Amino acid sequence: MAHSVSAFQAAYISIEVLIALVSVPGNILVIWAVKMNQALRDATFCFIVSLAVADVAVGALVIPLAIIINIGPQTEFYSCLMVACPVLILTESSILALLAIAVDRYLRVKIPVRYKSVVTPRRAAVAIACCWIISFLVGLTPMFGWNNLNKMRRTQELNGSHTEFIIECQFETVISMEYMVYFNFFVWVLPPLLLMLLIYLEVFNLIRKQLNKKVSSSSNDPQKYYGKELKIAKSLALVLFLFALSWLPLHVLNCITLFCPSCQTPHILTYIAIFLTHGNSAMNPIVYAFRIKKFRTAFLQIWNQYFCCKTNKNINTTTSEPGN
């Protein structure tokens, strides 16, 4: 695969570099906006920062490693495994961050009065730490032994070789498809995605029930609150939809590889699936900019203040409004 056509390989590397050049600055801008704007300091945006950190790492770390794997260097087994595992860690981190965001939005509409006492900054930080710990455990499972080393050793013994073997570093060479399908996909990808789908359906159901109620005139207008919640829930559900759309094709291809070994998957489909997974990291800042007013305002203020030499300091004095 890595030695097929040099021009094709060059095109692959160029597309990967382009994705990285969009993903890294875009997600750094997301982190920067949350850091500087007080209106983006609630739990939801802390989880969004965790998601943005994973996306920055995809552009800065995973894509360069993917290019290395595509070249197919000759290396020792565990060295190749270390190159392959970061994408597993960051994928799981993104999924758990999205799940935390979904739960947070549910609590906002289910218990709006008690929300701030339940979702405290300390609890949000603990949740983010737990997400990353779980992500490392899931992503590093191949390093703990669930990999193709024994299979390769058996092949080496059948060939009558007893020397330390050097392999051509490819993802499928070192990562077990049983791990990718049964453990990674069926346990840590598909169930969270389905759970998030149910959560967002319930969020939309709760919001619409509240919006359909007759509201008496008061200073705290519930319709205004739930209207904002509906808008931001739609934006975050779009982020979830794009994530699923980007990652499910590759997992489906993994299932085909495991359950139908004789099936020949066109290489171009594999490359498209890989581009989708990496490109997902560049999509979120675009969604935030076009769909979430607070982010759009913060991005413009950062641009005006730091890149257009304007001295507008209002970015630190923005007041916080729930759910916008």
Side-chain angles (χ1 to χ4, degrees):
M1 185 75 168
H3 306 291
S4 55
V5 182
S6 59
F8 184 80
Q9 192 175 54
Y12 164 80
I13 293 172
S14 299
I15 294 172
E16 288 282 38
V17 170
L18 180 62
I19 292 172
L21 291 176
V22 174
S23 175
V24 173
N27 285 287
I28 288 176
L29 189 61
V30 170
I31 298 168
W32 192 355
V34 174
K35 181 179 183 298
M36 297 194 66
N37 194 335
Q38 291 288 345
L40 297 172
R41 294 289 180 84
D42 64 17
T44 298
F45 296 108
C46 291
F47 295 132
I48 286 177
V49 165
S50 180
L51 180 61
V53 168
D55 287 338
V56 168
V58 168
L61 177 64
V62 169
I63 288 179
L65 293 179
I67 292 172
I68 291 172
I69 287 180
N70 180 261
I71 295 171
Q74 299 293 316
T75 183
E76 193 268 338
F77 183 88
Y78 275 99
S79 297
C80 183
L81 202 58
M82 289 179 65
V83 172
C85 282
V87 67
L88 303 175
I89 297 170
L90 296 172
T91 303
E92 191 56 38
S93 173
S94 297
I95 291 171
L96 294 178
L98 289 169
L99 180 59
I101 290 170
V103 172
D104 178 72
R105 302 322 295 186
Y106 174 76
L107 293 175
R108 274 184 173 274
V109 298
K110 185 67 175 178
I111 51 169
V113 177
R114 296 190 296 118
Y115 170 79
K116 287 189 176 180
S117 63
V118 173
V119 185
T120 63
R122 179 183 177 85
R123 288 173 179 170
V126 170
I128 290 171
C130 289
C131 288
W132 278 98
I133 291 170
I134 293 171
S135 300
F136 271 93
L137 291 175
V138 172
L140 291 177
T141 297
M143 294 292 295
F144 302 146
W146 197 345
N147 54 52
N148 287 335
L149 181 60
N150 290 333
K151 184 187 299 184
M152 297 192 70
R153 279 178 175 165
R154 286 194 298 269
T155 303
Q156 185 186 37
E157 289 171 359
L158 289 174
N159 294 334
S161 174
H162 299 284
T163 59
E164 181 69 22
F165 59 88
I166 300 297
I167 64 169
E168 181 179 328
C169 186
Q170 298 287 332
F171 188 87
E172 297 85 353
T173 304
V174 294
I175 300 294
S176 165
M177 273 299 124
E178 287 82 2
Y179 161 82
M180 286 301 300
V181 173
Y182 292 125
F183 186 67
N184 189 279
F185 182 47
F186 287 167
V187 176
W188 292 104
V189 174
L190 193 56
L193 287 177
L194 294 175
L195 178 59
M196 283 183 269
L197 174 62
L198 295 175
I199 290 173
Y200 275 111
L201 288 175
E202 181 62 16
V203 166
F204 292 134
N205 183 49
L206 289 171
I207 291 174
R208 293 190 190 282
K209 282 183 179 178
Q210 293 296 328
L211 291 176
N212 288 334
K213 287 181 178 179
K214 295 288 185 180
V215 182
S216 59
S217 58
S218 61
S219 57
N220 295 322
D221 188 348
Q223 283 201 322
K224 183 179 180 182
Y225 175 84
Y226 285 106
K228 290 179 179 179
E229 285 300 320
L230 179 61
K231 184 176 180 181
I232 199 167
K234 285 181 178 179
S235 301
L236 295 173
L238 176 60
V239 171
L240 171 62
F241 172 75
L242 291 173
F243 182 89
L245 191 67
S246 300
W247 279 96
L248 286 178
L250 186 60
H251 284 290
V252 169
L253 291 177
N254 288 339
C255 291
I256 293 172
T257 300
L258 178 63
F259 298 128
C260 184
S262 61
C263 298
Q264 294 296 321
T265 305
H267 290 324
I268 189 64
L269 290 182
T270 303
Y271 275 106
I272 291 172
I274 291 172
F275 288 144
L276 282 173
T277 61
H278 294 167
N280 179 252
S281 298
M283 296 176 189
N284 293 342
I286 299 172
V287 173
Y288 303 150
F290 282 96
R291 299 278 306 182
I292 301 179
K293 184 179 178 181
K294 284 183 180 180
F295 268 118
R296 185 165 60 250
T297 301
F299 291 163
L300 289 173
Q301 287 177 319
I302 289 172
W303 175 260
N304 290 334
Q305 184 174 342
Y306 292 94
F307 297 98
C308 292
C309 300
K310 295 182 180 180
T311 57
N312 183 1
K313 302 295 183 181
N314 292 336
I315 194 166
N316 288 319
T317 59
T318 307
T319 58
S320 179
E321 299 176 16
N324 192 17

